[in-house]
Amino acid sequence: MTIELDGATRLVPIVGDPIAQVKSPAGMSAAFAAAGRNTLVVPAHVAPADLPTWMAGLAVTRNVDGLIVTIPHKFAVHGWCTTVSDRARFLRAVNVLRRNPDGSWHGDMFDGLGYVTAAKKAGCVFAGASVLLVGAGGAGTAIAQSVAAEGPARLALHDADTARRDDLIARLAATGAPVVAGGDDPRGFDVVLNATPLGMRRGDPLPVDGAGLAPVMFVGCVVTEPKVPPLIERARALGCRTITGADMFREVRDLMLAFLLAADG
């Protein structure tokens, strides 16, 4: 397939801070080309303080058909959406936007669904399991919602921002989910998931106590760079089944592509 670039090219930026670590521009652009669309996905490095100005410019850029959102903007960009899915409304966060017929934004969030799909394909069983999830940010909130829908016996949430963690616990508990506050000790859990950026930068501590990992656990991490984050490297050395951020992203990518293509459906 050939990726075109001409005056008729449509654009779908991916916005984040930082942005150099993302892998989606090439893969998503190729996926659009395979679907017969002259659409490019391009990275945009925008700091939180500059996001309102950038979003205002994006709204009036007529060859921008959609937007992919990564850290730390998933909560903030939700506020620019005129309409959202039920999932995004509960999460108060989005990771992909497309145009409504009137040019306003419609948003959805696929991080959780993509993560759970990837984990299940790798042999993870959430139903009846005891799950520790570290991180209650944009990705963590979405993953928590999707994991809760799988029927775990216990879902423990840990985040350094306890107010954010407790807000998520309260909202999930209101749906009947067996959710509690957790810590960084993975002992006693069947599934251990990292939804924080820890592991992206050299010298980052592990998001959980590595000494508490055990071979019977399923361990997942959202970090995409390095390809094998330190948590996953430690878990694999013990014989754990694992998924990386790249495994998650493959599933999320397919969901986002279908969402963006549906604008023409």
Side-chain angles (χ1 to χ4, degrees), residues 35 59 62 64 87 91 104 130 136 143 168 185 202 204 215 219-220 229 232 251 260:
R62 296 189 179 184
V64 172
R87 173 173 42 238
L91 296 170
S104 63
S130 183
I143 292 168
L168 178 56
D185 187 348
R202 187 181 299 274
D204 277 350
V219 180
I232 299 302
E251 303 297 333
L260 291 165

Side-chain angles (χ1 to χ4, degrees), residues 163-259:
R164 182 167 68 178
R165 177 203 65 190
D166 291 346
D167 175 70
L168 178 56
I169 287 173
R171 290 192 288 129
L172 287 171
T175 71
V179 59
V180 297
D184 64 356
D185 187 348
R187 292 174 179 85
F189 289 93
D190 306 304
V191 181
V192 178
L193 306 174
N194 173 44
T196 77
L198 287 175
M200 184 185 297
R201 298 175 179 83
R202 187 181 299 274
D204 277 350
L206 293 179
V208 299
D209 180 0
L213 296 174
V216 295
M217 295 174 177
F218 186 97
V219 180
C221 184
V222 299
V223 171
T224 58
E225 184 64 37
K227 292 182 179 179
V228 181
L231 175 65
I232 299 302
E233 185 175 22
R234 175 75 68 92
R236 287 180 178 174
L238 293 171
C240 301
R241 290 173 296 169
T242 65
I243 59 168
T244 66
D247 298 318
M248 166 192 170
F249 179 71
R250 279 191 290 271
E251 303 297 333
V252 174
R253 177 193 61 198
D254 291 346
L255 292 164
M256 291 193 300
L257 181 66
F259 173 87

Side-chain angles (χ1 to χ4, degrees), residues 11-264:
L11 299 177
V12 176
I14 174 168
V15 62
D17 181 25
I19 199 65
Q21 79 284 355
V22 301
K23 306 301 182 185
S24 55
M28 288 291 288
S29 296
F32 275 115
R37 306 300 173 88
N38 181 6
T39 300
L40 287 182
V41 175
V42 294
H45 188 178
V46 181
D50 298 321
L51 189 64
T53 302
W54 188 77
M55 288 295 297
L58 205 66
V60 297
T61 306
R62 296 189 179 184
N63 66 334
V64 172
D65 290 338
L67 175 63
I68 298 170
V69 188
T70 187
I71 57 172
H73 300 312
K74 294 175 184 180
F75 289 107
V77 171
H78 179 272
W80 271 273
C81 294
T82 301
T83 58
V84 294
S85 68
D86 290 342
R87 173 173 42 238
R89 184 175 297 106
F90 174 85
L91 296 170
R92 305 171 191 164
V94 293
N95 73 341
V96 63
L97 281 64
R98 69 181 185 222
R99 297 282 192 181
N100 286 314
D102 65 359
S104 63
W105 294 115
H106 175 69
D108 208 335
M109 169 60 96
F110 294 115
D111 284 346
L113 182 58
Y115 199 90
V116 166
T117 300
K120 290 169 71 174
K121 285 184 176 180
C124 183
V125 177
F126 290 104
S130 183
V131 182
L132 172 62
L133 172 62
V134 181
T141 300
I143 292 168
Q145 182 197 37
S146 292
V147 169
E150 293 291 316
R154 175 177 58 141
L155 173 57
L157 302 181
H158 173 58
D159 195 285
D161 185 336
T162 56
R164 182 167 68 178
R165 177 203 65 190
D166 291 346
D167 175 70
L168 178 56
I169 287 173
R171 290 192 288 129
L172 287 171
T175 71
V179 59
V180 297
D184 64 356
D185 187 348
R187 292 174 179 85
F189 289 93
D190 306 304
V191 181
V192 178
L193 306 174
N194 173 44
T196 77
L198 287 175
M200 184 185 297
R201 298 175 179 83
R202 187 181 299 274
D204 277 350
L206 293 179
V208 299
D209 180 0
L213 296 174
V216 295
M217 295 174 177
F218 186 97
V219 180
C221 184
V222 299
V223 171
T224 58
E225 184 64 37
K227 292 182 179 179
V228 181
L231 175 65
I232 299 302
E233 185 175 22
R234 175 75 68 92
R236 287 180 178 174
L238 293 171
C240 301
R241 290 173 296 169
T242 65
I243 59 168
T244 66
D247 298 318
M248 166 192 170
F249 179 71
R250 279 191 290 271
E251 303 297 333
V252 174
R253 177 193 61 198
D254 291 346
L255 292 164
M256 291 193 300
L257 181 66
F259 173 87
L260 291 165
L261 292 175
D264 298 328

